Every structure is written in C-alpha cells, then in structure tokens.
Amino acid sequence: MNHWIILPILLPAIVAPVLVLAARYDLGLARALSLGTAVLALGLALGLLLSASDSSVAQVYALGDWPAPFGIVLVLDRLSALMLMLAALLSLVVLLYAVGDSDGRGRHFHALWQFQVMGINGAFLTGDFFNLFVFFEVLLIASYGLMVHGGGAQRVRAGVQYVVVNLVGSTLFLIAVGLIYSVTGTLNMADLAVKVPEVAAGDRALLHAGALLLLLVFGVKAALVPVHFWLPGTYGSTSAVVAALFAIMTKVGAYSILRLYVLAFGPEAGASALLAAQWLLPAAMLTLALGMIGVLAARSLSQLASFAVIGSMGTLLIAVGLFSAQATSAALYYMLHSTLAVAALFLIAEQVGLRRKSAGEALIVGRQFESRSLLAALFFVNAIALCGLPPLSGFIGKLLVLDAARDSASMLWIWALVLSTSLLALVGFARAGSTVFWKETVSADFRPLCAPGAPLPLVAIGVLLASLVLLTVFAGPITLWLDEAAAQLYQPSHYIDAVLGAAGGNE
Amino acid sequence: MEFLLASAIGVMTATGVYLLLRARTFPVVLGLALLSYATNVFLFAMGRLAVNRPPVVDALARGYTDPLPQALVLTAIVISFGMTAVLVVMSLRSFIESGDDGVDVLVQPTEDELGGSAPRTAASSAREASQ
C-alpha cells in the first residue's frame, strides 16, 4: 500500500489546528507555516502525479487496512492526482497573494485555508459517497469562515445566503445517499458500479431518483443552471483571494459528476447507462449561455469574473456531458485552464479596485491610477485566455471541446453556442477593459491615485498567467497525458478491480 | 409503524421547506433544522425498519438490523448540529452588522449612489418605493 496517498489530507489536517493553537496571535509565524505547508503539499501532489502516471491501474489506500467495501478507501488514479495537483498549485499561488495583501483582515485566515484545502483534497481522493459527503462538509464549513473573511454587512449577508443554499444542498445529498444505499446496500463507489447493473427492475426508479438527486447536488456545487443563482452573489461579495480559491470548488462539483456518472452510471451500467447525459448536456448549454450573457451585463469586475466562472463551467460541463473519453480529455484541459484564468481575474479585479479608491471595481470611468498599464496588460492577457482567443490556452481548450463534439448528435447546437458565446464574452471583456483602463476622468491635478503597492500580489497574478502560457506551450504533452487519464476513467473495470481486489490489503 | 414514520418525515419536510422560504433568518434556521431531522429519520429508515433486532453480532439473535444507517445518522446529526451553530452565529452577525434579519443580499450601490448612501436590501427599497 502506498501510504503517501493519505498525506494530502493529513498534512493540512495537522497544520490547521497548530495554526489555531500556536500561531493565533503571530501572523508572521502563521504565514510561514501556511506557505510552507502549501509548498509541501505542492511537492506531495507532484509526487503523487508522477506515481499515478507510472502505474496504469488505480492505487488504493485502505484506512485501517479494512478491506473494501467494508472499510473506507482512498483511491488515487490519474484524474484524482490531476485534481490534487491543480488544487495544490492554486492554493499556493493564491496564498502568496493573500500573504502580500489581505490575510490579516480577519482572524484564523490560514487555519481556515488549510481546512478548506483538506476538504478539497479529501473530496478528490475518497472512494465512497458518505466520505464524499463528509469532505464536502469539511470544505464547506471552512469556506463559510473564509467567505466572510474581512467582514462587512454586505459580505456577511451574502455569506448567510451561501450557507443556507449549501445546507439545503447537503440535506439533498444525504437523502440521495440514503436512496442509493437503500437500493444497492453499498456506499463504496466501486462496489456501487458492480451492483448498479444488477438492481431489480422494480427498484431501478428509486435508484435513478437517488442518482439524479446527486446530480442536482453536484450541480449546485458546479453552478449548473438552474441552481447557479448563489454563485454571483457569493463570489462577487467575498474577498478576491477567497473567490480565487473557490474557483477550485466549482470544479469539485464537476469532478464528482465525472467520477460518479462515468464509473457507476457510465456506458457499461446496463439499464442505467448514461443516466445523467440527457439532463446534463442541456443544462450545461444553458449555463454557458447565461454565464456569457452575464459577462456582457456585469456592472463590476468581480461580477464579470463571477459570470465568467459560470460560463466556463458551462463549457466544461458540456464536454463532460458528452460522455466520451475524447470529450473528457478536452474537459480536463479546459478545466486546468479555466480554474487558473478565473482565479487570476478575481485577483486582478481586486488590485484594480484597491487602486481606484472610490470607483472601486465598478465598470465606470474613474481617475487614472497607479501601475495602470501593468494591470491593463495583465487584464488583457487574462481576457484573451478567458474569451478563448488564440494564442492562449482558452483557444486550445475550446478547440478541443469543439473537436470532441463533432461526433455528437447535438454537434450543431454545441458549436453554434460555444462560438457565439465566445463573441459575447469578447464584447463583455472589451467593454470592461476599455472602460476601466482606457478612459479616465480629467481632474485638476494629473497625479495618479496612490495605493500601497505591495509587489507580492502582482507576482502571484503573474505566476497564474505564466502557468496559462505554460499550459499553452506544453499543450501537446499535457493533452497526451490527459487522454490517458480519460481512457483510464472510461475503463471502470480497472478502478473496480483495484478497489475490490485489494481485499487482501497487502498489495 | 411505516405510516407513522413516513408521515412524520413528510410533515417535517413540508414544514421545513415552508419555513425555509420565509424571508427572515430565524424561520430559515428552524426550517433547516426541521429538514435535517426529516433527513435523519429518512436515513434511519433506509436500513429497513426492524423492531427488537440487534445491530451487532449476538449469539442469541434471530436476525439483525442494518447498523450502517445508524452510523450514518450519527455522523449526519453531528454535522448538522455544527452547521446549525455556524448558521446561527452568521445570522446574528448579519443582523448586528446590517440592522435587519432579512435573507436577501444587500443591493450593491449603483453608480449614482456611490457617493456614500448606505447599502439597502431589495425589500427596503421596495418599501421606500411604495411609500
């Protein structure tokens, strides 16, 4: 057994209480501990990524050496290793931004951050539904604290709404898990995949109700229309660092959809095959349209970024909803790109807002501000990536999605929608950029507004954009790797054999 | 017993959903609590209803009740308890900071309001408009 698999969960779980107990009043120590942990986590994720690429089968870690399906297992395959890597990278870079800017505005920022990372990593690794629920709760309860970091009436009010929406989501999650358990008698994902084709015809409706209820729950996390409404209020009201980290949370929803509906309700599930496809694809198309229209209608930069999240989730879920290995590979590439790009946009928006003083992040003409040309350049690169213009990764991502949709029955719809919404996004970003960066009100003195210009936030944004460039330059090897990850995902027998075959526990 | 249990779950869920749709935080908190009670009882019933059966190995037992849903319910109770506490604290904080206990998000100040008027809720602006 590979004991490294549990470390992405254990490491933040140990550091977070230490942060609360030992580094409570010492921001410097907290920063050092938190950044150190994030660097370690990145190294760990890299190691796991390499180890997952080496072995063709999934690696299983049985907690307490109890064999599945009786014990709890963690499963590491290419997909989960990729998600761990993305989460670790995002967490480190955004933490770098936070250290230079806003982590001192409220208590326990770093501890909550580590708990959040623990929940995210756990959700990517777990091999059964109930622990998926538990890790969802861990990441949510940390996110409730992070969401209101810094305080303010507007933020707390939006926070209450966010908590209520997610508590209802958790309730539905439990009901769905209960329904699935009552029919199949198992919560282990691999065991479920074995049992779904064998369910009696009379019980199948109950199973489908449970499975589609789960789709609704994951849809809430992934901001799928019509349950996306919580996202603009939440992401637009919270601080930029938190919104940037939350960029990975919508992907937790997408990951769960990909995992469950390919493994247990995939092409090989008999009468339940491709259960989610007929619901997911139309909903994802609506999500894309609505998100990009929102980009066009946004009144502030953070609102623009929030709707860009919804739009990118739409594109991602269209690719997921096609349910083929090629489309899934495209979805994974687009996910890497959109997570990093959207996070960068939230950070740029806050930097602009800080410098523009009274005009803030609103899309109105304001006075000239400090380091405007640098921020304008960053925004420009970011907008190119997010709209999907060549030469950056957004273009490649959308091209892959369009290519994967060629064999689909709804190809015409997908092509028309993706291309026309890209135009909407382009117009929206062009309007926002020209209002904020090109126009200015002329005042008596031309002295630009000064703001505390800490270099670290700009470095963090630069790193995010540089990773987009790297994603573009190394698109060839990355897509080859992702092809294998998707192929592995679409051979559920490997996953099932790895989990249930590990019954001896001594592998 | 089935009827009693099913109707109890139904009534609790219906009441919970009704309370959840109120516009103030206190009924919403109560509604969520009721919903989570309903979910817990529902989960419990998922292991099938059995009377006087032990959940763990017993030499004298004729049959067993499923122990797993009971473990799940226990976990769910702990989590929903913690979540309710968080929600209560956040609602209180929201009430203290914004001066009313509405659930709707404060309206962002628009361009001409940026001069410094206090943020308002959709409900309070509607009230002002109707006066």
Side-chain angles (χ1 to χ4, degrees), chain A residues 245-256:
Chain A
L245 181 67
F246 282 11
I248 191 84
M249 285 206 348
T250 45
K251 274 68 182 181
V252 175
Y255 164 84
S256 309

Side-chain angles (χ1 to χ4, degrees), chain A residues 181-200:
Chain A
Y181 179 79
S182 74
V183 177
T184 61
T186 184
L187 289 169
N188 185 294
M189 291 185 199
D191 200 25
L192 181 70
V194 174
K195 288 191 173 146
V196 162
E198 299 165 3
V199 168

Side-chain angles (χ1 to χ4, degrees), chain A residues 130 133 137 144 148 152-154 156-157 159-161 163-164 167-168 171 174-175 178 181-182 187 299 364, chain B residues 20 39 42-43 46 48 66 68 72 75-76 79 83 87 90 94 97-98 100 102-106 110-111 121:
Chain A
F130 200 75
F133 167 75
E137 296 304 306
Y144 301 155
V148 295
Q154 155 94 26
V156 176
R157 185 63 79 86
V160 171
Q161 221 177 36
V163 175
V164 170
L167 285 184
V168 176
T171 311
L174 275 179
I175 293 174
Y181 179 79
S182 74
L187 289 169
R299 292 194 304 171
I364 51 173
Chain B
L20 200 62
T39 313
F42 178 79
L43 269 186
M46 281 302 109
R48 306 294 184 268
D66 193 344
L68 193 75
L72 299 190
T75 317
I79 290 180
M83 290 295 180
L87 183 60
M90 285 192 55
S94 165
E97 293 225 5
S98 62
D100 80 65
V103 182
D104 49 348
V105 170
L106 298 173
T110 52
E111 289 160 31
T121 64

